[in-house]
Structure formats: structure tokens, C-alpha cells
Amino acid sequence: MEKKKIKINYLGFWKDLDKENNFFTNILKERYDVEISDRPDFLFVSLFCKPFEYMKYDCVRILYTGEPFSPDFNVFDYAIAFDKIDFGDRYYRYPYALLELERAKTVKAMTREEAEKALAEKKYFANFIYSHHSAHGEREKMLEVMSAYKRVECIGSFRNNMEDGRTVKRFDGKIEFLRQCKFTIAGESIGLPGFNTEKIVNAFEGNTVPLYFGDPEICEEFNSKAFINVSDYESIEKAVEKVVEIDNDDEAYIAMLMEPKYISDTYVDDMYNGMKEFLFNIFDQETEKAYRRCRYYIAKTHCDRMAEYAKIRQSGWYRFIYGWLAPKVVKLLGR
């Protein structure tokens, strides 16, 4: 049977995104003949583009974000984000960590033999791997309290304390280093319900026990017996007391490694199948019927104004005046 042809494109994603081979395109290729087009009928939008640049595309817009950013359904037809909301067929919640599907599937309970071997491989107490500060300083506080007990290996570019200054990054040596650590400071940049990223999944992938801060509802998706959740304690100090207790009890540590990581064995597959169903519902429709945002009356005026604003923000004169000249004038006047 001949596949339905669809024209898509991507805007505002990470620089190394392969438009022909990624999470979304690969799902769509299962059912459709996918063409990457400069004049798409469907545009996947993320946050790393010029302000409101997506307004230049008068097509069906699908927002994807793994950042703490709630969708504006006045300008997006559909959205995939972290908020726990119900918006009919226009929204699907999908945690960012599951975008690395095959890696997420490797996270599972360990056998006793595997857990004992993992413990024997540990060289360091804990790690802190980040490239920037957090919004409210919670993970920096976690580092401070943990370091008062034992040295924490800060091998990211932020707060680096390695003698040779070496660093590891998420896709470059991070998991290998985690396997040498008993605990991982797994702190989100901000604590919001439903917002959880690769932090806790990477920790599990590296066979460590995470000290987690972030999503206050994290235990709705991950097994609370497999990690130490700061939200379960009166303070970070109290949570770290639990870390110290487990650090001095090999049996308790091994037991945590042996725990299942997700709330169910089918959690990852269930979420992925839900994503497929969500996307197929969008693309099975005729293009004109796939629109969900209002394109008339006040909503249209709102969109037109945003599009005009985007043109101004992206003009050469605007960037010259506000991006180069204005800061210099302010600095000069400040003297």
C-alpha cells in the first residue's frame, strides 16, 4: 500500500539535529512518506530559534520542548511538553529523557550479581556534572551539603574541581564516569510538577543512586525505592543524612540498585506508544483539518502582531541598535 506523503520541517532544535533521522521523523516514517521541505505543511518547533520565528510559517505548528516552557495554544496547533494538562487531541506529555528511547530502555533493575559487581567498580563517592547554575541554587546546595561529608567529583564545566581540569559531557564520557561513582547529584534546574529530564535517567544508566531534586511528582513515574528524593525530606541536610546512611551500608546500597527504576515494566513502551498515537492522529488528517489554533478574529490579530514583531526583532537595524549600539551607550553613560 502506498504511503501518504507529508511535508515537514524543524525549527529551533539543537544544532546537530538530523532532520531525516530523529525521534519524530522515524516515528512518522513508519506510516508516511516523509519529505523534509522548506515549505512544510507541518512544522516541528522548539525553543532555540529567533524570537517568534515560527510565525513566518503559516502551517500546522507542533511545539516540542524539554524545557520548563508551557505551550501557547493560540499560536501552536499541538504541543509536546512537560505540563500535566489535558487539552484534547492537541497535547501530549512526554518526558525529555524518553526522547533517547533506546537508552531509556536500558534502565532496569539489576540482579544481585550485577549490583555487587557495580558496587565493586566504584572509585568515588559522588559526582556533580553540570555546565551552569540552577535557577534557585538547589543543586548547588546539594553539592555543598554532600561535600561537607565527602569529596564530590565535579567533572562538568561548572564548579569543576578536577586537578587536571578535565570535563565530561552528556554524550562524551558522562555515563562511563558515573559508573565509577556511588551517588549522583541529579538536580533539575528548577522544581516544577511534571518537569523531569535526563538527570535521573542518566544516573540510573550509570548504575548510581541518584540524590534527586526537581519534579515534586517524580515518584509517579520512577520507583521511589531506587533513589533518594529530596522532596521526601524536611531539608537537603536530612536527605543527605540518608545518603550517608546508605553509603555506610553495602546491603542497603545493593538493594537500591536491584530495585526497578520505573513505576512499571511497560512504562517506557506505554509512553512511546502514546506518542505514536498522538502523532498519527495529527498526520492522518487532511492538512486543512489538522489545524487546531483559531485563525480568525482576535486570535488572528494576535498572531499577525506576533509575526510583525518577529520581523522587527530579526531586522538588521533592530539587531544593530539593540544588540550592539544600545549596550555600548548604556555602558558609556554608566561611567
Side-chain angles (χ1 to χ4, degrees):
M1 181 178 177
E2 186 176 351
K3 292 182 176 180
K4 175 184 177 181
K5 187 166 187 175
I6 59 173
K7 294 192 294 183
I8 69 170
N9 209 335
Y10 294 87
L11 178 70
F13 282 73
W14 37 93
K15 293 180 180 179
D16 61 349
L17 176 75
D18 183 347
K19 294 182 180 181
E20 297 281 359
N21 180 22
N22 63 66
F23 181 84
F24 299 110
T25 298
N26 291 338
I27 288 178
L28 296 176
K29 282 182 177 179
E30 292 183 23
R31 183 173 293 198
Y32 312 105
D33 178 8
V34 179
E35 175 188 346
I36 305 298
S37 172
D38 291 334
R39 300 183 67 182
D41 294 319
F42 300 85
L43 181 71
F44 284 92
V45 180
S46 198
L47 303 180
F48 306 108
C49 57
K50 296 175 182 177
F52 309 113
E53 187 175 4
Y54 51 82
M55 297 304 301
K56 296 189 299 185
Y57 295 83
D58 189 20
C59 61
V60 177
R61 304 184 193 122
I62 306 166
L63 172 71
Y64 169 74
T65 176
E67 302 293 334
F69 178 87
S70 298
D72 179 354
F73 289 103
N74 290 301
V75 295
F76 295 110
D77 299 279
Y78 305 91
I80 303 160
F82 76 91
D83 299 89
K84 292 184 176 181
I85 58 175
D86 183 0
F87 213 76
D89 70 347
R90 299 182 65 180
Y91 182 75
Y92 187 65
R93 179 182 177 274
Y94 195 79
Y96 175 67
L98 302 187
L99 210 63
E100 300 164 18
L101 186 65
E102 295 310 314
R103 299 183 69 168
K105 285 184 175 181
T106 67
V107 172
K108 61 185 189 313
M110 303 174 74
T111 65
R112 182 172 187 88
E113 182 180 358
E114 289 171 335
E116 289 177 345
K117 182 181 177 182
L119 176 57
E121 293 173 348
K122 303 304 181 186
K123 297 180 181 178
Y124 308 111
F125 164 59
N127 67 79
F128 178 91
I129 306 176
Y130 295 95
S131 60
H132 59 83
H133 63 81
S134 60
H136 303 297
E138 295 290 341
R139 63 188 180 210
E140 291 87 341
K141 178 68 172 178
M142 293 160 72
L143 172 61
E144 176 186 328
V145 178
M146 289 276 277
S147 297
Y149 167 62
K150 280 185 182 180
R151 174 184 162 87
V152 175
E153 310 303 313
C154 301
I155 197 169
S157 57
F158 179 63
R159 296 283 181 93
N160 187 283
N161 65 358
M162 309 306 290
E163 288 186 5
D164 57 3
R166 70 186 174 113
T167 63
V168 296
K169 296 181 180 179
R170 184 170 158 206
F171 298 114
D172 185 15
K174 178 180 179 180
I175 303 303
E176 291 75 11
F177 189 82
L178 292 184
R179 292 194 176 106
Q180 301 177 63
C181 304
K182 290 185 72 174
F183 300 91
T184 291
I185 295 177
E188 306 291 2
S189 59
I190 192 169
L192 290 173
F195 177 64
N196 59 75
T197 66
E198 80 287 352
K199 306 295 189 302
I200 191 169
V201 173
N202 283 173
F204 287 140
E205 190 180 355
N207 299 335
T208 72
V209 170
L211 173 63
Y212 180 81
F213 166 80
D215 180 1
E217 299 170 353
I218 191 72
C219 294
E220 294 180 7
E221 294 170 85
F222 294 91
N223 177 11
S224 62
K225 295 180 181 179
F227 66 102
I228 300 168
N229 185 13
V230 171
S231 296
D232 291 340
Y233 297 85
E234 296 176 3
S235 64
I236 291 174
E237 287 81 2
K238 291 293 183 182
V240 173
E241 286 180 12
K242 185 65 175 179
V243 173
V244 173
E245 177 186 325
I246 295 169
D247 185 43
N248 290 283
D249 185 342
D250 286 352
E251 281 301 314
Y253 186 82
I254 289 170
M256 293 191 79
L257 293 184
M258 292 173 62
E259 285 287 339
K261 311 311 178 190
Y262 300 109
I263 53 170
S264 76
D265 292 339
T266 64
Y267 169 74
V268 176
D269 287 332
D270 290 344
M271 293 298 293
Y272 178 68
N273 290 333
M275 173 66 82
K276 290 173 65 173
E277 182 180 342
F278 174 74
L279 291 175
F280 290 162
N281 177 67
I282 296 171
F283 288 89
D284 278 349
Q285 304 170 89
E286 295 177 10
T287 302
E288 187 59 32
K289 291 186 177 181
Y291 284 93
R292 290 293 183 274
R293 67 182 189 269
C294 180
R295 293 183 285 163
Y296 307 97
Y297 196 46
I298 298 299
K300 184 178 186 306
T301 302
H302 171 68
C303 288
D304 289 345
R305 286 173 177 168
M306 289 181 68
E308 189 62 30
Y309 175 67
K311 288 179 183 178
I312 294 172
R313 284 291 301 267
Q314 293 162 33
S315 69
W317 278 111
Y318 184 95
R319 293 199 300 271
F320 171 74
I321 293 171
Y322 291 98
W324 184 84
L325 183 60
K328 291 185 181 299
V329 171
V330 170
K331 185 176 181 181
L332 181 64
L333 292 175
R335 291 178 180 174

